[in-house]
Amino acid sequence: MGKRSKSGKVILSATVAAAIVLVCSFSVRPPVGGSPQLVSIQEIPETGDMCYWEPVNVDHGEHATSGENNLFAAFEETSAHAAGESTDTLDIARPPVRTIRDTYPIYSSVAVDTQFNEVVLQDTNLFGIKIFNRLDNTPPGADFTSPKRVIEGPKSDLEYNNGLYVDPKDGDIYTVASDTADNLIVFPHDAKGDVAPMRKLKTPHRNFATAVDEEKGEVFITIQYPPKVVVYRKEASGDEKPLRVLEGEHTGLFDAHGLAIDVKKKLMFVGNWGNASDYKVAGTGKFYPPSITVYPLDASGDTAPLRTIQGSRTQLDWAAGMSLDADNNDLFVANDVGQSVLVFKETAQGNVAPARILKGQKTYLKNPTGVAVDTKNKELWVSNLGNSSATCYSLNANGDAAPLRTIRSAPAGRTSVKFGKPQAVAYDSKRQEYLVPN
């Protein structure tokens, strides 16, 4: 993961730590009996000096006690150590020559608070939640619209979060950690600044989406890998165990992401990217076509889906967040790499084309990863990971339809760097470019 500043911005330093690598030369005897034979291995002596990465000190002052698992503890600046042939080391205060970073929000999820007329956006770049007025509309010439409230800082426990949900009665905000932390956290409606969540629930690793059955008081969470759907009491906290878990070889769950539930029809919809393996057995990785699997709302254990939407006609491509318009039987899917929002009928099955597709230059969609249906105002909200925006459309929008309103947190036309978890960097001296696997 790229280093981040204290404010949570991704920083890619030009300083690269060398790794200790065992380099060997070997000789091979000519084939005897049809196969080569390794006859000797010789270790090559160490050459030159190298730099060692200094582990982050566990004591980081004011942040040390508030979150031993919080990434902000690792954002503190540290000194580099240079090592030569001797065992002595020299402390070097050496700032990076340059940094590459994205200083703008990246929005992974969106929720609409119809009671307070607000739009809630999850920022996975600056580790925060930003709340706007629902009717905000960034003018074409403006760089951004300022949020009315921001939840952000070490105490918030926000890291790579996703899966926003807003309680329709009291406006409480639910969000799950998708990567580095393993929890569901809840903030009161009026929370702002660097504040701790009012409730935290320990969950399995790699959460993605949430949905809530308000009638039964249950919260559903998709787990990406090993794929499953876990269901807790809505008010659960601490180490409370789930009420039930959907998982197993017959479920059809493969890298589970999006989630939507229909309480009236007693149905649950899960989006799958299709990556599969048994993490306990090497070499068992497989790739299945992406899919949406449908289950009874109370499904648990190794339950097979009632039906599956899957195939080339679906156009599913890294489908992320999902949301339901149950009144019109429409399932909305944020289709990240497909640069689109797909709309399927709830009864869809097999290799079926979407009933509608929202896609095109006028839509302003850029890597859409979150969708939220607002049945009260007959609107659809989309969070765009690729251009720091949220776009609002009519619920029946189709084709290359322009948004009714747009909330931008970056200048118009800007493409997000979209640093996710860069864990390495290489330099192409011929083209003078940095190569960063993301």
Side-chain angles (χ1 to χ4, degrees), residues 13-34:
S13 174
T15 305
V16 179
I20 304 173
V21 179
L22 178 64
V23 182
C24 301
S25 66
F26 61 89
S27 60
V28 178
R29 181 177 294 165
V32 177

Side-chain angles (χ1 to χ4, degrees), residues 7-324:
S7 62
K9 303 177 181 66
V10 175
I11 299 176
L12 184 62
S13 174
T15 305
V16 179
I20 304 173
V21 179
L22 178 64
V23 182
C24 301
S25 66
F26 61 89
S27 60
V28 178
R29 181 177 294 165
V32 177
S35 62
Q37 296 178 346
L38 181 66
V39 295
S40 67
I41 298 177
Q42 180 180 359
E43 183 176 341
I44 295 177
E46 294 182 2
T47 57
D49 296 339
M50 61 184 67
C51 294
Y52 296 93
W53 183 260
E54 180 191 41
V56 178
N57 194 315
V58 295
D59 183 9
H60 288 283
E62 61 178 332
H63 302 328
T65 57
S66 62
E68 62 276 6
N69 295 320
N70 193 297
L71 281 182
F72 282 89
F75 299 158
E76 303 290 341
E77 296 180 2
T78 58
S79 299
H81 281 74
E85 294 182 359
S86 70
T87 58
D88 296 332
T89 60
L90 176 65
D91 231 4
I92 300 177
R94 185 170 57 194
V97 177
R98 298 183 304 281
T99 60
I100 301 172
R101 65 184 180 186
D102 195 340
T103 59
Y104 295 98
I106 293 178
Y107 293 131
S108 63
S109 183
V110 59
V112 181
D113 187 337
T114 56
Q115 180 182 359
F116 294 95
N117 220 28
E118 295 175 338
V119 174
V120 183
L121 291 170
Q122 183 72 61
D123 178 4
T124 58
N125 187 38
L126 307 182
F127 292 178
I129 294 174
K130 294 175 171 59
I131 299 96
F132 297 84
N133 288 314
R134 185 182 66 84
L135 296 178
D136 279 343
N137 189 22
T138 309
D143 283 347
F144 61 89
T145 294
S146 296
K148 60 189 299 185
R149 294 192 308 282
V150 174
I151 305 171
E152 186 177 301
K155 294 178 184 177
S156 72
D157 280 333
L158 290 166
E159 295 180 5
Y160 294 104
N161 279 55
N162 202 61
L164 284 173
Y165 174 79
V166 174
D167 190 304
K169 295 179 180 178
D170 54 30
D172 289 348
I173 300 171
Y174 291 65
T175 179
V176 289
S178 293
D179 199 334
T180 50
D182 308 325
N183 58 48
L184 176 149
I185 52 180
V186 184
F187 296 93
H189 163 261
D190 57 354
K192 64 179 180 179
D194 185 9
V195 295
M198 68 178 187
R199 191 165 71 253
K200 182 192 295 189
L201 171 67
K202 179 71 175 177
T203 65
H205 190 43
R206 300 186 184 97
N207 304 275
F208 187 81
T210 61
V212 175
D213 181 344
E214 290 290 348
E215 292 182 6
K216 296 184 68 175
E218 295 178 345
V219 57
F220 296 67
I221 304 172
T222 50
I223 307 299
Q224 298 168 61
Y225 183 83
K228 65 185 75 175
V229 178
V230 290
V231 184
Y232 297 89
R233 285 191 319 111
K234 184 186 173 187
E235 302 299 322
S237 63
D239 293 325
E240 186 169 329
K241 301 302 179 184
L243 300 171
R244 59 186 181 277
V245 179
L246 174 67
E247 65 177 334
E249 61 179 341
H250 297 104
T251 63
L253 294 172
F254 300 115
D255 203 354
H257 278 75
L259 175 67
I261 63 173
D262 188 330
V263 176
K264 292 181 179 179
K265 298 183 183 69
K266 306 299 181 186
L267 294 174
M268 173 172 57
F269 300 80
V270 181
N272 303 279
W273 281 13
N275 306 313
S277 69
D278 182 348
Y279 69 97
K280 298 178 182 178
V281 182
T284 58
K286 296 180 181 179
F287 296 99
Y288 295 99
S291 65
I292 297 172
T293 42
V294 188
Y295 310 87
L297 189 59
D298 59 356
S300 64
D302 192 7
T303 300
L306 299 171
R307 59 183 185 275
T308 300
I309 303 171
Q310 185 178 52
S312 58
R313 297 183 66 194
T314 68
Q315 300 189 40
L316 293 168
D317 195 353
W318 278 28
M322 301 198 303
S323 187
L324 267 173

Side-chain angles (χ1 to χ4, degrees), residues 105 364-367 384-390 408-411 413-416:
Y364 200 67
L365 293 172
K366 183 69 173 177
N367 299 111
N384 295 285
L385 197 73
N387 58 18
S388 304
S389 77
R408 278 191 291 104
S409 294
R414 184 183 182 279
T415 297
S416 300

Side-chain angles (χ1 to χ4, degrees), residues 383-412:
S383 59
N384 295 285
L385 197 73
N387 58 18
S388 304
S389 77
T391 42
C392 175
Y393 310 87
S394 165
L395 261 186
N396 59 5
N398 188 25
D400 192 6
L404 302 174
R405 298 184 303 282
T406 299
I407 297 174
R408 278 191 291 104
S409 294

